[in-house]
Amino acid sequence: MTPAAAPTLLYIDDDEALGRLVSRGLKRQGFCVEHVLSGEAGLERLRKGGVDVVALDQYMPGLDGLETLEQIQNIPDAPPVVFVTASQDSSIAVTALKAGAADYLVKDTQGDFVPLLQVAADQALRQAVIRKARDDAEAEVRASRDRYAALAAEREMLLREVNHRVGNSLQIIASLLHLQASSSKESEVKAALTNAMGRVAAVAQVHRRLYTSHDLKSVMLNQYLEALLEDLRRSAEGNRMSRLTLDAEAVEIDPDRAVAIGIVVNELVMNAVKYAYPEGKGPIHVVLKAQGDDLELAISDDGVGLAVKANPHSTGMGQRIVNAMATKLDASVERDPAHAGTRMVLRFRRTNIAAPTPAIA
């Protein structure tokens, strides 16, 4: 095992005789001692590096001890300094310690202070090792934190890009379904394609919202519903959704639940368009209200209501989809009997309650 190298102590003092005493005394204690006679010479030596600890006298011609100490503190990675003086004035000690000295001691001309200097130098070296270890640990923590922040930012950017691409792809599919529906001559095929387009658009809107959202874990439900209804208005034939309105409070919700809510809104709005106004168009209202931890979503119209006969060509797919999404939301679905037309009300909690998603039969 290689023995540790002797620490180098730089003794800055204009007293040559005392410098020799310090050198002999500390060398016997395992130090490598270099002695310079002025503050200027000490600073020049320190800039070359290789000094582990400094013993600095107070009174010297040219730069005195305090002035030299101030300049030592400006040297990068400066070694610890033990301030040495012949004065008994305690205010000097306070000034030196405030200026950055690691320790302070009073010297004598016979060299009796050398053992105390050895103890002070050893302690200053230990403190320097502890301080460096602490600084290195703090630097590593900062570096780790920066790496984590960079990885998190990269992950967020990638997730935004994924949502952007998925949203665009789904929007393309919705547009193709719209084109196919527009070119179809059979009303049943046209209706089925239009319904499918609305369902795809409902999912696409969530991904588009996540791409622009400040938080990838949530969606502003009111903004999402507004964009979804605007898509429905643009896709409707004969301006049949021109009186489709939204009254929604600002609510944040997780993306999966937003998809289920969007699909429910799409199905019930499309149902109102198809059956509420046999003679043409009429108002359709979507209302979202927050009630503590619960949300209430209502889709209503002023149409024929319960007077309408069941459509013999209806497959009931829309109702099954609504029921499946309601189960996913752990929501209750009720028809308001007091409403003149049709008013469907869903009540559910803001946060997800684990429940299995049933298959659509």
Side-chain angles (χ1 to χ4, degrees):
M1 183 175 178
T2 304
T8 297
L9 181 143
L10 177 65
Y11 185 56
I12 306 174
D13 192 331
D14 63 329
D15 188 328
E16 292 190 50
L18 197 56
R20 287 193 293 271
L21 286 174
V22 169
S23 295
R24 284 198 300 269
L26 291 183
K27 283 179 180 178
R28 286 195 293 268
Q29 301 300 323
F31 282 87
C32 176
V33 181
E34 298 182 26
H35 177 216
V36 294
L37 299 172
S38 68
E40 292 86 352
L43 292 169
E44 182 179 352
R45 173 63 188 88
L46 285 170
R47 293 188 183 99
K48 295 177 182 178
V51 175
D52 298 301
V53 62
V54 177
L56 174 62
D57 186 35
Q58 179 188 2
Y59 296 111
M60 295 182 294
L63 288 176
D64 66 15
L66 289 173
E67 292 170 332
T68 303
L69 176 60
E70 183 180 353
Q71 294 198 32
I72 289 175
Q73 300 307 306
N74 294 327
I75 296 175
D77 298 321
V81 177
V82 178
F83 200 78
V84 181
T85 181
S87 173
Q88 299 289 334
D89 187 353
S90 61
S91 65
I92 296 175
V94 173
T95 302
L97 293 173
K98 285 184 176 180
D103 207 344
Y104 170 90
L105 60 88
V106 178
K107 72 175 182 177
D108 60 87
T109 56
Q110 290 78 35
D112 293 339
F113 74 98
V114 173
L116 296 176
L117 178 57
Q118 180 252 319
V119 172
D122 282 339
Q123 184 174 349
L125 286 169
R126 285 194 296 271
Q127 290 175 346
V129 170
I130 293 171
R131 185 168 55 251
K132 185 177 186 306
R134 182 198 64 200
D135 292 344
D136 289 347
E138 290 177 351
E140 181 58 31
V141 169
R142 288 193 297 270
S144 298
R145 190 183 299 121
D146 291 343
R147 287 194 295 271
Y148 175 80
L151 288 172
E154 182 180 5
R155 176 179 176 273
E156 181 173 326
M157 181 188 69
L158 290 174
L159 284 174
R160 289 185 187 280
E161 184 62 25
V162 167
N163 280 304
H164 180 55
R165 290 172 183 262
V166 170
N168 282 349
S169 298
L170 290 173
Q171 194 60 48
I172 290 172
I173 294 172
S175 298
L176 292 174
L177 290 170
H178 178 63
L179 288 173
Q180 190 69 41
S182 300
S183 62
S184 176
K185 301 256 190 302
E186 298 182 26
S187 60
E188 291 182 17
V189 173
K190 185 187 294 287
L193 290 171
T194 300
N195 287 340
M197 180 206 70
R199 293 158 191 159
V200 173
V203 181
Q205 271 295 343
V206 169
H207 288 283
R208 289 162 67 183
R209 290 282 125 198
L210 288 174
Y211 175 62
T212 58
S213 173
H214 68 283
D215 182 5
L216 291 171
K217 296 179 181 178
S218 65
V219 173
M220 290 302 298
L221 191 53
N222 55 317
Q223 297 175 1
Y224 164 59
L225 291 176
E226 179 58 50
L228 179 62
L229 297 189
E230 183 57 33
D231 282 347
L232 290 175
R233 292 187 193 99
R234 284 198 299 265
S235 66
E237 291 184 354
N239 208 23
R240 297 189 70 188
M241 294 192 198
S242 61
R243 299 178 66 183
L244 176 61
T245 65
L246 172 68
D247 179 9
E249 297 181 12
V251 174
E252 280 189 287
I253 200 164
D254 69 88
D256 285 342
R257 292 165 72 74
V259 167
I261 294 165
I263 291 175
V264 168
V265 170
N266 175 77
E267 296 303 321
L268 294 179
V269 167
M270 294 302 296
N271 194 63
V273 169
K274 286 188 287 185
Y275 304 123
Y277 302 105
E279 304 302 322
K281 62 186 180 183
I284 302 171
H285 307 292
V286 179
V287 179
L288 175 71
K289 293 182 179 178
Q291 299 174 337
D293 289 334
D294 296 331
L295 299 176
E296 180 182 280
L297 177 68
I299 296 92
S300 62
D301 60 65
D302 299 330
V304 295
L306 294 175
V308 68
K309 293 182 180 179
N311 188 336
H313 302 293
S314 174
T315 64
M317 175 63 76
Q319 186 60 48
R320 292 201 297 274
I321 289 175
V322 170
N323 290 338
M325 293 301 102
T327 302
K328 180 180 178 66
L329 293 167
D330 196 28
S332 64
V333 186
E334 300 174 357
R335 184 168 186 163
D336 183 358
H339 190 75
T342 300
R343 182 172 183 264
M344 301 298 297
V345 181
L346 279 81
R347 294 183 179 88
F348 51 94
R349 298 186 68 82
R350 289 173 185 260
T351 55
N352 187 31
I353 298 176
T357 303
I360 301 174

